[in-house]
Every structure is written in C-alpha cells, then in structure tokens.
Amino acid sequence: MNNREVKIVYVVLLVDKETIIFRDQLRHDEERMGERSLILLEEFENDSELRDINKLYTHEYKEEQLSEIIEEILNNDKYILR
C-alpha cells in the first residue's frame, strides 16, 4: 500500500445458541434460517482458522449498548490483523 499506514480490524460477532434461535424467530417466516443458523454458529465456533481473539460474543449486550460494542471493536487492538 505504498507507505500508507493501514489498520485492518477483523472481528466476528457471535451469540449463544439461545440468542440466535430467539433472533431467528423475530424474522419473517420467509427470512428465517432455522437449523441453518445453528449449523453456521457451530462452524464459526469450531473453525480452527478463526482465532478466539477475533470473536466477540454479543449476547450479553442489550440493544442500547450498540455503541459499546462499536467502541470495543474500534479501540481493542486484539482485533487488528497483523
């Protein structure tokens, strides 16, 4: 990138199984993923190439805390790719 300082932030937002089921049920019927959402969650959790430090579990946050999640991502160096 020709002497430019570039910071790449990589974080995967995850939730627990109960939360993913709950959120999926909030979708319209034609948009629900059903069991597929649990399969994908398991794939992310068990992906050996996805480091734990790049995972951020958000199920304990409330919607009003969205700014805190964003701040965590922007200010925590553990999410910076090196």
Side-chain angles (χ1 to χ4, degrees):
M1 293 239 163
N2 298 3
N3 297 329
R4 294 184 189 180
E5 285 193 35
V6 176
K7 179 172 84 171
I8 299 175
V9 176
Y10 178 63
V11 61
V12 177
L13 303 177
L14 297 168
V15 294
D16 61 6
K17 288 180 181 182
E18 292 78 19
T19 303
I20 210 161
I21 291 169
F22 173 75
R23 289 181 183 175
D24 193 44
Q25 292 298 312
L26 295 175
R27 295 180 175 133
H28 296 288
D29 288 345
E30 63 275 0
E31 297 170 351
R32 287 189 186 145
M33 295 181 63
E35 188 175 336
R36 181 73 179 136
S37 60
L38 295 174
I39 291 169
L40 290 171
L41 175 61
E42 188 173 325
E43 286 180 13
F44 277 115
E45 289 180 329
N46 296 322
D47 186 338
S48 61
E49 294 183 25
L50 177 58
R51 300 178 316 162
D52 284 342
I53 63 170
N54 294 110
K55 297 175 185 178
L56 176 59
Y57 284 86
T58 61
H59 56 274
E60 295 196 15
Y61 288 93
K62 295 184 178 8
E63 189 174 341
E64 301 82 37
Q65 294 175 289
L66 181 59
S67 61
E68 290 177 42
I69 296 171
I70 294 168
E71 189 171 322
E72 166 72 13
I73 293 168
L74 294 175
N75 295 319
N76 193 328
D77 287 345
K78 76 178 192 174
Y79 301 119
I80 296 174
L81 286 182
R82 300 183 197 293

